[in-house]
Amino acid sequence: MLRRRPPRSASADDLLTTLGQLTAQAREGAELQQARVELAEALQREMLPATLPEVKGLRAAATYAPARHGLDIGGDWYDGFTLPDGSLAFCIGDVQGHDVEAAAFMGQIRIGLRAVAPHAADPGEVLSRANDLLLSVGAGLFATCTFLRFDPATWELSSARAGHVPGVWASTDGDYGVAEDPGGLPLGIEPGESYPVTRRLLTTAGTFVLLTDGVIEGPSFEIETGLAQVTRLVGTRAGADPATVAAEVMNMADCTGHTDDAAVMVLSFDGPANRAG
């Protein structure tokens, strides 16, 4: 009866060679992922506006923070621009997914909103047209968004939401709360979706804050807890410098242990006595 000889044990050189190959593959994978993250972050920052529009009596500021661990880049954005009729448009949103694809889709949404806004009657129509436009390109992604239009002639702030987290408001007379306005589905899901419009007359000085869920949700906090903390903070900052408020709200994200990217936009408006001139 013949006996099979046991297989020869791998030599130390063989093991070192195999280990070196695995290490090189891991390094290549890490370098590729880092390159994608850096590209996504570059796209993200290039597409965010350098400044936001303002008029006498209304100031705006915004801030963006990349993901804490550098892996979830590219989903959040904000924008602000002046419409042909003199109204100011502001929007904030969050794209499903991350990395380069999300950053590119975010750019499509931003351009789409700017393209349709001058031809739409209100924020609800802006979102509806943008939704159908995004579905027509077949990207396969969706995004939440809040769109605001401020009319400096009437001091009306109109808004519509597409599946986005609610905003937070505060007035200098001591009132504050969450803007639980009705909304519609996120952009890019269902054709022909409609978006209700909420209208507010800014009769007293105050602050309106828009944010993404990366600010208020994380491993340490449920989204309701984070939103409640931001609401209390904003309640003490009514009418304050918007850049300061934006920074303070963004600091709240550190409490949540967030891993997502995050964006905050703040509008601060004066009372009637300080608007003219």
Side-chain angles (χ1 to χ4, degrees):
M1 181 177 178
L2 296 176
R3 290 185 178 182
R4 291 185 177 180
R5 300 175 63 181
R8 184 171 63 89
S9 299
S11 68
D13 288 343
D14 292 336
L15 290 174
L16 288 173
T17 299
T18 300
L19 181 59
Q21 292 172 343
L22 293 173
T23 301
Q25 292 174 4
R27 182 182 299 112
E28 290 175 1
E31 290 174 351
L32 177 60
Q33 175 61 23
Q34 182 60 31
R36 289 175 64 85
V37 168
E38 290 175 357
L39 174 58
E41 186 170 3
L43 286 171
Q44 175 84 338
R45 293 199 179 276
E46 283 298 315
M47 292 184 208
L48 296 177
T51 60
L52 295 173
E54 296 183 344
V55 295
K56 182 174 176 58
L58 184 138
R59 297 153 291 155
T63 184
Y64 167 80
R68 173 169 294 182
H69 300 302
L71 296 178
D72 292 336
I73 302 296
D76 293 8
W77 91 93
Y78 61 83
D79 198 7
F81 50 96
T82 302
L83 295 167
D85 65 357
S87 298
L88 307 185
F90 301 96
C91 57
I92 194 168
D94 185 357
V95 174
Q96 166 226 8
H98 300 94
D99 210 349
V100 180
E101 291 79 9
F105 188 59
M106 179 269 289
Q108 291 179 318
I109 296 174
R110 181 170 178 251
I111 292 171
L113 290 169
R114 281 180 172 251
V116 303
H119 311 288
D122 55 47
E125 186 178 346
V126 172
L127 293 182
S128 182
R129 290 191 180 191
N131 175 62
D132 291 342
L133 178 62
L134 293 171
L135 284 167
S136 71
V137 304
L141 296 175
F142 66 84
T144 66
C145 179
T146 294
F147 192 94
L148 305 179
R149 176 177 283 174
F150 170 73
D151 186 341
T154 63
W155 277 78
E156 179 183 83
L157 185 68
S158 55
S159 63
R161 285 198 300 152
H164 199 70
V165 296
V168 175
W169 62 272
S171 61
T172 52
D173 60 9
D175 288 339
Y176 63 91
V178 177
E180 292 281 9
D181 305 331
L185 293 173
L187 304 177
I189 292 182
E190 186 70 27
E193 180 71 0
S194 61
Y195 298 91
V197 177
T198 300
R199 305 180 189 278
R200 295 177 172 85
L201 283 177
L202 305 181
T203 57
T204 60
T207 294
F208 200 90
V209 178
L210 299 176
L211 65 164
T212 61
D213 58 8
V215 181
I216 55 177
E217 184 178 34
S220 303
F221 276 75
E222 294 184 353
I223 193 168
E224 294 81 6
T225 303
L227 186 59
Q229 288 208 2
V230 169
T231 303
R232 287 193 292 270
L233 170 66
V234 174
T236 66
R237 302 292 190 272
D241 173 63
T244 300
V245 177
E248 291 179 344
V249 171
M250 184 62 79
N251 285 339
M252 297 291 293
D254 292 334
C255 301
T256 69
H258 74 105
T259 56
D260 201 355
D261 53 345
V264 178
M265 176 180 288
V266 179
L267 306 181
S268 292
F269 41 92
D270 294 338
N274 298 320
R275 296 173 185 174

